[in-house]
Amino acid sequence: MDEVGRGPLAGPVVAAAVVFPVGVKPIRGLDDSKVLTAAQRAKFAVTIRQRAVAVAIGAASVREIDRLNIRRASILAMARALRHLGFVPAHILIDGLPCPELGCPHEAIVDGDARCHSIAAASVIAKTIRDYLMDRLAARHPGYYWETNKGYCTPEHLDALQRLGPTRHHRYTFAPVAQLELLTISRAL
């Protein structure tokens, strides 16, 4: 399993669980989603879905991120992905540090998306889904450049926040958005 979207100022955090059959050959060229282009990720996502026994997605909303914090929301997204599998895998590998809150035995691998084939596959699936969601939100909220920045803190996104203000898809507990809200409140007083 892996998740994407911990750092952006907008949009959900998305997790994916990918289960390959025992002994499956690694997909040549598959790597951490962060080092692949969007076109490569799309191609790999198709291959992953063809070769996997199961693929499941889970997400946590912006409201959940703001209410719980990003770490707990990420674990919630992973738990949802696991539940959507419909069965409990024999062995669970996750990217990063151990998550006892996940509520099931697992092995955590730091930089797992770069070191483990199945985690890299989950990374690609999660990234393609989250990017798709951000592209759809970009169409509804033009001016934030989510079609290119995917909600991350880029100069263009920060400029749009200054000009247009935050949307309901922004994470109000994240510093740049929270600072804008404080400025708005202080100007009103």
Side-chain angles (χ1 to χ4, degrees), residues 111-164:
D111 293 326
D113 45 7
R115 298 172 53 208
C116 174
H117 183 256
S118 59
I119 294 175
S123 168
V124 165
I125 296 294
K127 177 84 171 124
T128 56
I129 294 294
R130 186 176 190 286
D131 285 358
Y132 171 77
L133 293 172
M134 293 309 295
D135 288 344
R136 292 196 54 183
L137 286 174
R140 286 192 235 152
H141 299 277
Y144 293 93
Y145 305 99
W146 291 339
E147 64 279 6
T148 55
N149 66 44
K150 308 304 181 208
Y152 283 88
C153 187
T154 64
E156 296 82 13
H157 191 178
L158 290 174
D159 180 60
L161 272 170
Q162 290 285 339
R163 287 183 295 104
L164 305 170

Side-chain angles (χ1 to χ4, degrees), residues 17-173:
V18 174
V19 180
F20 285 117
V22 175
V24 69
K25 285 187 176 184
I27 299 168
R28 186 177 307 210
L30 179 62
D31 203 344
D32 174 6
S33 66
K34 292 183 287 296
V35 301
L36 300 171
T37 66
Q40 290 171 319
R41 286 190 299 267
K43 180 182 153 219
F44 282 124
V46 170
T47 305
I48 291 163
R49 289 180 185 279
Q50 289 170 344
R51 292 196 190 173
V53 171
V55 174
I57 302 296
S61 70
V62 169
R63 282 190 210 117
E64 290 170 321
I65 292 166
D66 283 342
R67 185 169 40 93
L68 299 172
N69 77 40
I70 190 60
R71 182 181 186 283
R72 290 176 57 208
S74 297
I75 294 168
L76 177 62
M78 287 191 283
R80 288 173 173 162
L82 274 177
R83 255 195 330 271
H84 288 126
L85 280 175
F87 62 92
V88 178
H91 192 73
I92 299 171
L93 302 171
I94 66 168
D95 182 43
L97 300 172
C99 302
E101 304 93 333
L102 193 55
C104 61
H106 60 276
E107 180 181 346
I109 302 173
V110 175
D111 293 326
D113 45 7
R115 298 172 53 208
C116 174
H117 183 256
S118 59
I119 294 175
S123 168
V124 165
I125 296 294
K127 177 84 171 124
T128 56
I129 294 294
R130 186 176 190 286
D131 285 358
Y132 171 77
L133 293 172
M134 293 309 295
D135 288 344
R136 292 196 54 183
L137 286 174
R140 286 192 235 152
H141 299 277
Y144 293 93
Y145 305 99
W146 291 339
E147 64 279 6
T148 55
N149 66 44
K150 308 304 181 208
Y152 283 88
C153 187
T154 64
E156 296 82 13
H157 191 178
L158 290 174
D159 180 60
L161 272 170
Q162 290 285 339
R163 287 183 295 104
L164 305 170
T167 69
R168 65 187 181 98
H169 303 290
H170 280 94
R171 300 172 182 181
Y172 283 76
T173 55

Side-chain angles (χ1 to χ4, degrees), residues 173-184:
T173 55
F174 280 46
V177 181
Q179 291 302 313
L180 278 176
E181 284 299 293
L182 289 173
L183 285 173
T184 303

